[in-house]
Amino acid sequence: MNFKAILIACLIISVGQLSMGLVFPSLPWIAKDFEVSHEQVQILISVYLLGFGPSQFIYGPVSDAIGRKKVLLLGLVIAMLGLLMIIFLSHSFTGMVLGRFLQGLGTGCCAVLARASTRDSFSGAELPVAMSYIAMAASITPLIAPVIGGFINFHFGWTMVFISLLGYLSLVWAIVALRFQETLDEPSALPSPKKMLLQYRELLSSRYFISFASIGWLNFSLMITTISLMPFIMQDQIGMTSDKYAMWALIPALGMLAGTSICNRVRPLIGSKKLLLCTPVLHVAAALWLFLCPVEPLYLMLGQLLMILGNSIALPCVQAMVMQPYKKQAGAAAAMSGGGQMVVSSIVSMVLLHLGVSQAWHLSLIIIVFAVITLINVIRGFATQEALQSI
């Protein structure tokens, strides 16, 4: 296997997730500095996702036509411009919101093209393995990012979080410019908006695609909702500082590492279906734990650990399943999968905040609902002809 290509793809996909997760521990401090409510400051996450998600629907088909590298370099430049706006307008909450939207608009290219370039480079038995590494990077980054962000925020302030992101994006841009090899074999004319819509309509009308893609969407939404809510529970309700929270956040991060390792080792032995059925079981266990446990750091993190373990088993599996049949439409399939994931995450997080989700037991009820939906989609997806052919 070409591990250099996998490593670069992991680096690329980490950009979008790091840009989100690094900011979470700073939200309570940003809220205090601008004298806005916790609900209002969450718009810095929601507006990022609204730029990050829909932009992928453009990047995917365009990269199918003109190539992955050009689109990557352009998107990263847009993201860096957004970060510069945040840094220089850090005295204005409105300016930060606009900068976050522009940042999301640019980094949307990373989620699409990391997956699409991997689909270009690998096939057969190698593809699920390669995609599992990409999913691992995409899943672990949002969990490790709050640890790093908490330390930066505590020691240097929240402005330095965005300066650090700008430095990271600049490094990734240089690596892509110098080391990334174009993976698209045959460039073509840019697709018309009508053709793009037809491609997405075809994907959304596929029971196979929508079943496995929605498992990824809901599991990622659950993970983002949890890591967005936990800083407020730990820092405001328990009275913990952001650097201490960062240390506690390592516990669920270990769950992600364990889950992706289990996925890579166990999936070839028992198959994707049996492994995916473990996710709702783990989520029900996590929900019961969070509903009954005391509001104390260790108990909360152990509940999140169980939930993340289920997420980390599901995400690599469904990413490989989603991309497997779409060699010629890798960009569009990756865009629909990744873009839908971000749009659904944004909508779910805003709806739950509007409903007043602020306690651990609230979260447990949401986990139960998502576990039931995941179970239905696993059964539904594996009953399709495409899944039966891939088994």
Side-chain angles (χ1 to χ4, degrees):
M1 289 187 71
N2 184 355
F3 283 102
K4 177 185 174 183
I6 293 175
L7 182 61
I8 293 176
C10 289
L11 186 68
I12 292 167
I13 206 166
S14 72
V15 169
Q17 314 299 346
L18 193 69
S19 296
M20 186 163 46
L22 209 66
V23 178
F24 282 130
S26 301
L27 293 180
W29 301 88
I30 295 173
K32 290 176 184 177
D33 285 354
F34 285 102
E35 297 181 345
V36 297
S37 68
H38 293 164
E39 290 77 15
Q40 288 173 312
V41 79
Q42 289 284 348
I43 197 173
L44 292 175
I45 302 300
S46 299
V47 77
Y48 172 83
L49 290 172
L50 286 174
F52 186 78
S55 66
Q56 297 181 43
F57 299 120
I58 305 298
Y59 289 128
V62 169
S63 73
D64 280 340
I66 68 173
R68 318 300 185 196
K69 187 170 184 175
K70 292 176 184 177
V71 179
L72 264 174
L73 293 174
L74 175 62
L76 287 169
V77 167
I78 294 172
M80 287 188 282
L81 290 174
L83 283 166
L84 287 170
M85 181 182 293
I86 294 169
I87 292 164
F88 286 106
L89 298 178
S90 59
H91 59 281
S92 165
F93 188 70
T94 302
M96 289 187 65
V97 170
L98 293 174
R100 282 291 280 174
F101 177 75
L102 190 60
Q103 183 192 357
L105 204 64
T107 52
C109 70
C110 298
V112 176
L113 300 181
R115 295 185 178 100
S117 62
T118 302
R119 183 64 187 89
D120 294 338
S121 303
F122 299 94
S123 60
E126 288 188 337
L127 179 61
V129 177
M131 290 303 301
S132 71
Y133 284 110
I134 306 305
M136 185 189 304
S139 304
I140 290 174
T141 307
L143 296 172
I144 296 176
V147 179
I148 302 170
F151 280 110
I152 295 173
N153 176 75
F154 183 78
H155 293 288
F156 304 103
W158 57 262
T159 305
M160 184 56 70
V161 171
F162 294 103
I163 294 172
S164 301
L165 275 172
L166 180 61
Y168 186 73
L169 262 67
S170 301
L171 175 64
V172 173
W173 189 94
I175 291 172
V176 170
L178 298 173
R179 298 292 183 183
F180 183 83
Q181 299 295 320
E182 180 57 64
T183 58
L184 186 70
D185 294 330
E186 299 179 4
S188 59
L190 283 171
S192 66
K194 182 179 179 180
K195 185 177 179 181
M196 290 185 193
L197 290 173
L198 287 173
Q199 286 180 320
Y200 291 131
R201 182 181 176 183
E202 181 184 343
L203 290 169
L204 290 174
S205 63
S206 165
R207 192 172 75 167
Y208 173 89
F209 180 87
I210 204 69
S211 295
F212 290 112
S214 60
I215 294 171
W217 297 343
L218 291 177
N219 273 269
F220 188 78
S221 298
L222 185 59
M223 190 167 66
I224 294 303
T225 299
T226 304
I227 62 177
S228 178
L229 178 62
M230 278 300 174
F232 289 102
I233 294 176
M234 299 284 273
Q235 294 181 50
D236 290 351
Q237 295 179 26
I238 298 177
M240 187 177 291
T241 59
S242 61
D243 64 326
K244 289 183 179 178
Y245 167 70
M247 293 302 297
W248 281 105
L250 286 171
I251 293 176
L254 292 174
M256 181 59 74
L257 286 170
T260 48
S261 177
I262 290 169
C263 184
N264 280 339
R265 292 175 181 274
V266 177
R267 181 185 170 187
L269 301 176
I270 67 173
S272 295
K273 183 177 181 179
K274 290 181 180 177
L275 192 59
L276 277 172
L277 288 172
C278 295
T279 292
V281 174
L282 287 166
H283 282 174
V284 169
L288 291 173
W289 179 274
L290 288 170
F291 189 84
L292 298 171
C293 77
V295 183
E296 296 178 12
L298 180 60
Y299 292 106
L300 291 173
M301 290 297 103
L302 287 176
Q304 191 178 352
L305 172 68
L306 279 173
M307 189 205 75
I308 293 296
L309 192 61
N311 296 140
S312 60
I313 288 172
L315 289 170
C317 284
V318 296
Q319 286 296 336
M321 295 296 292
V322 162
M323 296 298 294
Q324 186 78 41
Y326 301 106
K327 171 69 173 176
K328 294 183 179 180
Q329 293 178 287
M336 192 71 250
S337 174
Q341 182 173 279
M342 291 302 118
V343 172
V344 171
S345 297
S346 178
I347 293 171
V348 168
S349 64
M350 286 191 289
V351 168
L352 293 179
L353 286 168
H354 181 72
L355 292 174
V357 174
S358 59
Q359 305 289 334
W361 71 269
H362 295 166
L363 182 62
S364 69
L365 300 179
I366 296 164
I367 295 172
I368 288 286
V369 173
F370 280 25
V372 172
I373 298 172
T374 296
L375 177 61
I376 292 170
N377 280 319
V378 170
I379 296 170
R380 185 170 176 261
F382 277 100
T384 61
Q385 189 63 35
E386 294 96 328
L388 291 172
Q389 291 173 355
S390 67
I391 295 173

